[in-house]
Amino acid sequence: MSSAATDAPTPGGEPTTDAPAPTTPTGSTSTALSARRIWTRVRGGALVVAVVLIGGLVLATVRSTNAHGALDPRSTDPHGSRAVAELLKERGVTLTLATTLDEATAATTPGTTLLVTAPDLLTDAQLSTLRTAAQTSAGRTVLLGAGSPSLDVLAPGITSAPDTAVTSLSPACTLPAATRAGSVDLGGERYEVAPGTTADSCYPSDGLPTLVRLPGTGTTDTVLLGSPDILHNTRLDQQGNASLALQLLGSRPHLVWYLPSLYDSSADAPEDGTTGNFLALIPSGWLWGTLQLALAALLAAVWRGRRLGPLVTERLPVALRASEATEGRARLYRKANARDRAASVLRTATRTRLAPLLGVPSRDAHSPDLLLPALSARLPGTTADPRDLLFGPAPADDSALVRLADQLDALEREVRTS
């Protein structure tokens, strides 16, 4: 039937034949299948990567708008400071925003108020540079929430005390700016003034001030504010917050608003041009924690590796005949090709049995200098070499091992019968 279908004439009178179907090269097919398998395996991960990238782009786009960080004079967020910045500009104060130490020191000129929003983020080198710039400008330096890391350099004679909650506090001092402002929202860091240090201590909380003014040479002074809340947009219109903020920041015609960050590397490198010690970048708490973990690991190793005492013999659940145990051990030696170990066991056992027969202490049974002379005295006419027999090298093959066992047995019988 297939032949008829093949030779059937066409309408034109010519027979037709079944044309073979077009085939795809084997290499192209395998390549397509491989690509499809690869895509099936990686499409899940590719989808995750795509989602992460899209999310990152969206987040970066959202953050690139007018939203800025806390205490940023451009930010209209509740914790931003756009409101006080606009009020200062209306009163003729020129404001310069600095995000690096180089920008802050370059903008700090005579007759300038320098506001540092987070002084504790600065390193020792940066604090020294900032202190020099503030003294040179003969202006005012306002530090927000300064703690122990920055007080020693920027405010000598002042130490940090345990902080407190931000509440409404009364001035309780004679500083004109504080008496005119009245009660404000202060708290946060509290300070202790060393005896003999000239300072205005205001807005005490539990007996310790949260605002301290340290007069310097000429018109230079340093103001410590325990918390920055009076500069926040959401608190500026409450109580005397706006009055105190404008008096502290608007006493000079120029205000440098410095926002320190951990990404500012200016004035952070050592003077010798080196990159410094890597361990100096690790917080001290992590170093102590690592030391404690290392000590704990050492103690655990000692505990796990301690000896548990001498071995204790344990009764076997099944009694085995000595011949079976001997044959089993022999098979293991043969399987491992351990002729040296087997010969050592035979020689050790023979020496142990011969020593009492020769009058040699058991502890000296394996000493050739003590055992061989006693053996020679007992068997002066023996033809075998006792040293090679009892302390010789390992047999070269299985037949030599069997021959050694026979010779040891013969030697022991000869000693017993002599």
Side-chain angles (χ1 to χ4, degrees), residues 145-221:
S148 300
S150 58
L151 289 177
D152 293 339
V153 178
L154 299 180
I158 306 297
T159 56
S160 178
D163 57 0
T164 184
V166 176
T167 57
S168 177
L169 299 177
S170 301
C173 65
T174 58
L175 182 65
T179 56
R180 284 193 291 266
S183 298
V184 298
D185 293 327
L186 265 179
E189 294 285 345
R190 296 185 301 166
Y191 303 102
E192 295 182 359
V193 182
T197 302
T198 303
D200 294 312
S201 301
C202 303
Y203 298 101
S205 175
D206 294 335
L208 295 177
T210 58
L211 185 152
V212 176
R213 174 185 172 272
L214 293 171
T217 304
T219 59
T220 304
D221 64 355

